[in-house]
PDB file of all heavy atoms in Angstrom:
ATOM      1  N   PHE A   4       1.588   7.453   1.173  1.00 76.00           N
ATOM      2  CA  PHE A   4       1.326   8.852   0.890  1.00 76.00           C
ATOM      3  C   PHE A   4       0.075   9.143   0.337  1.00 76.00           C
ATOM      4  O   PHE A   4      -0.331   8.437  -0.533  1.00 76.00           O
ATOM      5  CB  PHE A   4       2.523   9.399   0.068  1.00 76.00           C
ATOM      6  CG  PHE A   4       3.946   9.044   0.606  1.00 76.00           C
ATOM      7  CD1 PHE A   4       4.597   8.155  -0.073  1.00 76.00           C
ATOM      8  CD2 PHE A   4       4.418   9.657   1.780  1.00 76.00           C
ATOM      9  CE1 PHE A   4       5.886   7.821   0.361  1.00 76.00           C
ATOM     10  CE2 PHE A   4       5.665   9.418   2.152  1.00 76.00           C
ATOM     11  CZ  PHE A   4       6.431   8.415   1.496  1.00 76.00           C
ATOM     12  N   VAL A  92       1.308   7.330 -18.554  1.00 98.00           N
ATOM     13  CA  VAL A  92       1.212   7.922 -17.288  1.00 98.00           C
ATOM     14  C   VAL A  92       2.478   8.872 -17.123  1.00 98.00           C
ATOM     15  O   VAL A  92       3.576   8.432 -17.301  1.00 98.00           O
ATOM     16  CB  VAL A  92       1.196   6.898 -16.166  1.00 98.00           C
ATOM     17  CG1 VAL A  92       1.199   7.500 -14.746  1.00 98.00           C
ATOM     18  CG2 VAL A  92       0.129   5.895 -16.298  1.00 98.00           C
ATOM     19  N   ALA A  93       2.194  10.100 -16.951  1.00 98.00           N
ATOM     20  CA  ALA A  93       3.299  11.106 -16.951  1.00 98.00           C
ATOM     21  C   ALA A  93       2.936  12.203 -15.935  1.00 98.00           C
ATOM     22  O   ALA A  93       1.890  12.651 -15.806  1.00 98.00           O
ATOM     23  CB  ALA A  93       3.526  11.672 -18.265  1.00 98.00           C
ATOM     24  N   VAL A  94       3.954  12.606 -15.148  1.00 98.00           N
ATOM     25  CA  VAL A  94       3.859  13.682 -14.216  1.00 98.00           C
ATOM     26  C   VAL A  94       4.898  14.731 -14.501  1.00 98.00           C
ATOM     27  O   VAL A  94       6.008  14.446 -14.907  1.00 98.00           O
ATOM     28  CB  VAL A  94       3.968  13.197 -12.746  1.00 98.00           C
ATOM     29  CG1 VAL A  94       4.100  14.247 -11.735  1.00 98.00           C
ATOM     30  CG2 VAL A  94       2.791  12.165 -12.448  1.00 98.00           C
ATOM     31  N   ARG A  99       6.840  15.589  -9.245  1.00 97.00           N
ATOM     32  CA  ARG A  99       6.983  14.203  -9.012  1.00 97.00           C
ATOM     33  C   ARG A  99       7.121  13.844  -7.540  1.00 97.00           C
ATOM     34  O   ARG A  99       7.497  14.707  -6.721  1.00 97.00           O
ATOM     35  CB  ARG A  99       8.153  13.718  -9.902  1.00 97.00           C
ATOM     36  CG  ARG A  99       7.796  13.815 -11.361  1.00 97.00           C
ATOM     37  CD  ARG A  99       8.877  13.121 -12.311  1.00 97.00           C
ATOM     38  NE  ARG A  99       8.327  13.216 -13.650  1.00 97.00           N
ATOM     39  CZ  ARG A  99       9.055  13.211 -14.678  1.00 97.00           C
ATOM     40  NH1 ARG A  99      10.359  13.052 -14.619  1.00 97.00           N
ATOM     41  NH2 ARG A  99       8.541  13.350 -15.893  1.00 97.00           N
ATOM     42  N   ARG A 100       6.919  12.559  -7.335  1.00 96.00           N
ATOM     43  CA  ARG A 100       7.108  12.008  -5.933  1.00 96.00           C
ATOM     44  C   ARG A 100       6.166  12.746  -4.916  1.00 96.00           C
ATOM     45  O   ARG A 100       6.581  12.987  -3.848  1.00 96.00           O
ATOM     46  CB  ARG A 100       8.605  12.024  -5.476  1.00 96.00           C
ATOM     47  CG  ARG A 100       9.380  11.058  -6.374  1.00 96.00           C
ATOM     48  CD  ARG A 100      10.707  10.734  -5.781  1.00 96.00           C
ATOM     49  NE  ARG A 100      10.621   9.484  -4.810  1.00 96.00           N
ATOM     50  CZ  ARG A 100      10.617   8.337  -5.465  1.00 96.00           C
ATOM     51  NH1 ARG A 100      10.642   8.051  -6.668  1.00 96.00           N
ATOM     52  NH2 ARG A 100      10.607   7.334  -4.554  1.00 96.00           N
ATOM     53  N   ARG A 101       4.933  12.978  -5.341  1.00 96.00           N
ATOM     54  CA  ARG A 101       3.888  13.602  -4.434  1.00 96.00           C
ATOM     55  C   ARG A 101       2.708  12.723  -4.530  1.00 96.00           C
ATOM     56  O   ARG A 101       1.715  13.156  -3.979  1.00 96.00           O
ATOM     57  CB  ARG A 101       3.670  15.048  -4.765  1.00 96.00           C
ATOM     58  CG  ARG A 101       4.914  15.976  -4.645  1.00 96.00           C
ATOM     59  CD  ARG A 101       4.602  17.327  -4.976  1.00 96.00           C
ATOM     60  NE  ARG A 101       3.536  17.975  -4.032  1.00 96.00           N
ATOM     61  CZ  ARG A 101       3.032  19.120  -4.361  1.00 96.00           C
ATOM     62  NH1 ARG A 101       3.422  19.857  -5.415  1.00 96.00           N
ATOM     63  NH2 ARG A 101       2.167  19.594  -3.551  1.00 96.00           N
ATOM     64  N   GLY A 102       2.824  11.613  -5.170  1.00 96.00           N
ATOM     65  CA  GLY A 102       1.682  10.707  -5.228  1.00 96.00           C
ATOM     66  C   GLY A 102       0.641  11.024  -6.427  1.00 96.00           C
ATOM     67  O   GLY A 102      -0.335  10.389  -6.466  1.00 96.00           O
ATOM     68  N   GLY A 104       1.233  10.426  -9.724  1.00 98.00           N
ATOM     69  CA  GLY A 104       1.250   9.378 -10.645  1.00 98.00           C
ATOM     70  C   GLY A 104       0.379   8.192 -10.179  1.00 98.00           C
ATOM     71  O   GLY A 104      -0.475   7.731 -10.962  1.00 98.00           O
ATOM     72  N   ALA A 105       0.507   7.834  -8.821  1.00 97.00           N
ATOM     73  CA  ALA A 105      -0.341   6.857  -8.281  1.00 97.00           C
ATOM     74  C   ALA A 105      -1.838   7.150  -8.344  1.00 97.00           C
ATOM     75  O   ALA A 105      -2.726   6.456  -8.690  1.00 97.00           O
ATOM     76  CB  ALA A 105       0.060   6.520  -6.872  1.00 97.00           C
ATOM     77  N   TYR A 126       2.007  -1.548 -19.792  1.00 97.00           N
ATOM     78  CA  TYR A 126       3.412  -1.861 -19.876  1.00 97.00           C
ATOM     79  C   TYR A 126       4.118  -0.995 -18.765  1.00 97.00           C
ATOM     80  O   TYR A 126       3.839   0.210 -18.788  1.00 97.00           O
ATOM     81  CB  TYR A 126       3.996  -1.556 -21.328  1.00 97.00           C
ATOM     82  CG  TYR A 126       3.641  -2.599 -22.278  1.00 97.00           C
ATOM     83  CD1 TYR A 126       2.448  -2.389 -22.988  1.00 97.00           C
ATOM     84  CD2 TYR A 126       4.351  -3.754 -22.457  1.00 97.00           C
ATOM     85  CE1 TYR A 126       2.101  -3.366 -24.007  1.00 97.00           C
ATOM     86  CE2 TYR A 126       3.928  -4.707 -23.389  1.00 97.00           C
ATOM     87  CZ  TYR A 126       2.854  -4.453 -24.146  1.00 97.00           C
ATOM     88  OH  TYR A 126       2.471  -5.372 -25.044  1.00 97.00           O
ATOM     89  N   PHE A 128       6.797   0.995 -16.394  1.00 95.00           N
ATOM     90  CA  PHE A 128       8.124   1.645 -16.401  1.00 95.00           C
ATOM     91  C   PHE A 128       8.979   0.989 -15.221  1.00 95.00           C
ATOM     92  O   PHE A 128      10.131   0.842 -15.229  1.00 95.00           O
ATOM     93  CB  PHE A 128       8.147   3.187 -16.287  1.00 95.00           C
ATOM     94  CG  PHE A 128       7.548   3.531 -14.905  1.00 95.00           C
ATOM     95  CD1 PHE A 128       8.359   3.989 -13.837  1.00 95.00           C
ATOM     96  CD2 PHE A 128       6.202   3.611 -14.686  1.00 95.00           C
ATOM     97  CE1 PHE A 128       7.856   4.390 -12.566  1.00 95.00           C
ATOM     98  CE2 PHE A 128       5.597   3.959 -13.457  1.00 95.00           C
ATOM     99  CZ  PHE A 128       6.490   4.323 -12.413  1.00 95.00           C
ATOM    100  N   ARG A 129       8.178   0.537 -14.245  1.00 96.00           N
ATOM    101  CA  ARG A 129       8.831  -0.126 -13.053  1.00 96.00           C
ATOM    102  C   ARG A 129       7.759  -1.063 -12.524  1.00 96.00           C
ATOM    103  O   ARG A 129       6.638  -0.629 -12.103  1.00 96.00           O
ATOM    104  CB  ARG A 129       9.261   0.938 -12.023  1.00 96.00           C
ATOM    105  CG  ARG A 129       9.881   0.482 -10.713  1.00 96.00           C
ATOM    106  CD  ARG A 129      10.864   1.474 -10.140  1.00 96.00           C
ATOM    107  NE  ARG A 129      10.218   2.787  -9.882  1.00 96.00           N
ATOM    108  CZ  ARG A 129       9.580   3.121  -8.707  1.00 96.00           C
ATOM    109  NH1 ARG A 129       9.469   2.247  -7.777  1.00 96.00           N
ATOM    110  NH2 ARG A 129       9.090   4.236  -8.593  1.00 96.00           N
ATOM    111  N   PHE A 132       6.049  -0.511  -8.852  1.00 97.00           N
ATOM    112  CA  PHE A 132       5.162   0.581  -8.793  1.00 97.00           C
ATOM    113  C   PHE A 132       3.679   0.104  -9.072  1.00 97.00           C
ATOM    114  O   PHE A 132       2.696   0.421  -8.271  1.00 97.00           O
ATOM    115  CB  PHE A 132       5.496   1.689  -9.800  1.00 97.00           C
ATOM    116  CG  PHE A 132       4.578   2.929  -9.759  1.00 97.00           C
ATOM    117  CD1 PHE A 132       4.783   3.967  -8.925  1.00 97.00           C
ATOM    118  CD2 PHE A 132       3.525   3.001 -10.679  1.00 97.00           C
ATOM    119  CE1 PHE A 132       3.988   5.094  -8.938  1.00 97.00           C
ATOM    120  CE2 PHE A 132       2.647   4.068 -10.695  1.00 97.00           C
ATOM    121  CZ  PHE A 132       2.933   5.147  -9.825  1.00 97.00           C
ATOM    122  N   TYR A 133       3.512  -0.670 -10.120  1.00 98.00           N
ATOM    123  CA  TYR A 133       2.247  -1.147 -10.501  1.00 98.00           C
ATOM    124  C   TYR A 133       1.862  -2.376  -9.713  1.00 98.00           C
ATOM    125  O   TYR A 133       0.649  -2.661  -9.528  1.00 98.00           O
ATOM    126  CB  TYR A 133       2.182  -1.452 -12.027  1.00 98.00           C
ATOM    127  CG  TYR A 133       2.259  -0.151 -12.876  1.00 98.00           C
ATOM    128  CD1 TYR A 133       3.344   0.132 -13.606  1.00 98.00           C
ATOM    129  CD2 TYR A 133       1.159   0.710 -12.801  1.00 98.00           C
ATOM    130  CE1 TYR A 133       3.337   1.277 -14.402  1.00 98.00           C
ATOM    131  CE2 TYR A 133       1.222   1.883 -13.569  1.00 98.00           C
ATOM    132  CZ  TYR A 133       2.302   2.161 -14.311  1.00 98.00           C
ATOM    133  OH  TYR A 133       2.318   3.343 -15.035  1.00 98.00           O
ATOM    134  N   ARG A 135       2.412  -2.985  -6.596  1.00 97.00           N
ATOM    135  CA  ARG A 135       1.849  -2.450  -5.425  1.00 97.00           C
ATOM    136  C   ARG A 135       0.408  -2.005  -5.567  1.00 97.00           C
ATOM    137  O   ARG A 135      -0.393  -2.008  -4.667  1.00 97.00           O
ATOM    138  CB  ARG A 135       2.654  -1.249  -4.986  1.00 97.00           C
ATOM    139  CG  ARG A 135       2.812  -1.042  -3.536  1.00 97.00           C
ATOM    140  CD  ARG A 135       3.879  -0.035  -3.246  1.00 97.00           C
ATOM    141  NE  ARG A 135       3.943   0.990  -4.200  1.00 97.00           N
ATOM    142  CZ  ARG A 135       4.972   1.732  -4.288  1.00 97.00           C
ATOM    143  NH1 ARG A 135       6.111   1.454  -3.674  1.00 97.00           N
ATOM    144  NH2 ARG A 135       5.040   2.765  -5.179  1.00 97.00           N
TER     145      ARG A 135
HETATM  146  C1  COA B 501       6.743   7.500 -13.515  1.00 69.79           C
HETATM  147  C2  COA B 501       6.018   8.866 -13.060  1.00 69.79           C
HETATM  148  C3  COA B 501       4.721   8.892 -13.767  1.00 69.79           C
HETATM  149  C4  COA B 501       5.834   8.795 -11.545  1.00 69.79           C
HETATM  150  O1  COA B 501       4.997   9.899 -11.137  1.00 69.79           O
HETATM  151  P1  COA B 501       4.976  10.420  -9.665  1.00 69.79           P
HETATM  152  O2  COA B 501       3.965  11.338  -9.439  1.00 69.79           O
HETATM  153  O3  COA B 501       6.326  10.864  -9.235  1.00 69.79           O
HETATM  154  O4  COA B 501       4.604   9.050  -8.833  1.00 69.79           O
HETATM  155  P2  COA B 501       4.242   8.894  -7.337  1.00 69.79           P
HETATM  156  O5  COA B 501       4.635  10.195  -6.568  1.00 69.79           O
HETATM  157  O6  COA B 501       2.778   8.453  -7.248  1.00 69.79           O
HETATM  158  O7  COA B 501       5.201   7.638  -6.931  1.00 69.79           O
HETATM  159  C5  COA B 501       6.507   7.728  -7.020  1.00 69.79           C
HETATM  160  C6  COA B 501       7.248   7.330  -5.693  1.00 69.79           C
HETATM  161  O8  COA B 501       7.029   8.522  -4.810  1.00 69.79           O
HETATM  162  C7  COA B 501       6.687   8.171  -3.652  1.00 69.79           C
HETATM  163  N1  COA B 501       5.865   9.223  -2.990  1.00 69.79           N
HETATM  164  C8  COA B 501       4.707   9.623  -3.356  1.00 69.79           C
HETATM  165  N2  COA B 501       4.269  10.719  -2.542  1.00 69.79           N
HETATM  166  C9  COA B 501       5.351  10.990  -1.706  1.00 69.79           C
HETATM  167  C10 COA B 501       5.582  11.941  -0.685  1.00 69.79           C
HETATM  168  N3  COA B 501       4.674  12.773  -0.370  1.00 69.79           N
HETATM  169  N4  COA B 501       6.764  11.930  -0.044  1.00 69.79           N
HETATM  170  C11 COA B 501       7.677  10.957  -0.425  1.00 69.79           C
HETATM  171  N5  COA B 501       7.504  10.066  -1.456  1.00 69.79           N
HETATM  172  C12 COA B 501       6.371  10.070  -2.008  1.00 69.79           C
HETATM  173  C13 COA B 501       5.843   6.954  -3.897  1.00 69.79           C
HETATM  174  O9  COA B 501       5.597   6.096  -2.787  1.00 69.79           O
HETATM  175  C14 COA B 501       6.607   6.259  -4.981  1.00 69.79           C
HETATM  176  O10 COA B 501       7.612   5.662  -4.239  1.00 69.79           O
HETATM  177  P3  COA B 501       8.404   4.214  -4.726  1.00 69.79           P
HETATM  178  O11 COA B 501       9.802   4.752  -5.101  1.00 69.79           O
HETATM  179  O12 COA B 501       8.448   3.421  -3.531  1.00 69.79           O
HETATM  180  O13 COA B 501       7.646   3.674  -5.926  1.00 69.79           O
HETATM  181  C15 COA B 501       6.893  10.052 -13.299  1.00 69.79           C
HETATM  182  O14 COA B 501       8.156   9.907 -12.806  1.00 69.79           O
HETATM  183  C16 COA B 501       7.100  10.315 -14.837  1.00 69.79           C
HETATM  184  O15 COA B 501       6.297  11.054 -15.538  1.00 69.79           O
HETATM  185  N6  COA B 501       8.100   9.657 -15.486  1.00 69.79           N
HETATM  186  C17 COA B 501       8.349   9.750 -16.936  1.00 69.79           C
HETATM  187  C18 COA B 501       7.388   9.033 -17.739  1.00 69.79           C
HETATM  188  C19 COA B 501       7.186   7.551 -17.461  1.00 69.79           C
HETATM  189  O16 COA B 501       8.180   6.877 -17.411  1.00 69.79           O
HETATM  190  N7  COA B 501       5.980   7.134 -17.338  1.00 69.79           N
HETATM  191  C20 COA B 501       5.582   5.745 -17.045  1.00 69.79           C
HETATM  192  C21 COA B 501       4.928   5.068 -18.166  1.00 69.79           C
HETATM  193  S1  COA B 501       4.377   3.429 -17.860  1.00 69.79           S
END
Side-chain angles (χ1 to χ4, degrees):
F4 306 106
V92 181
V94 171
R99 289 186 182 160
R100 295 195 89 81
R101 296 178 65 188
Y126 286 91
F128 66 96
R129 179 150 55 87
F132 181 86
Y133 289 113
R135 213 168 36 203

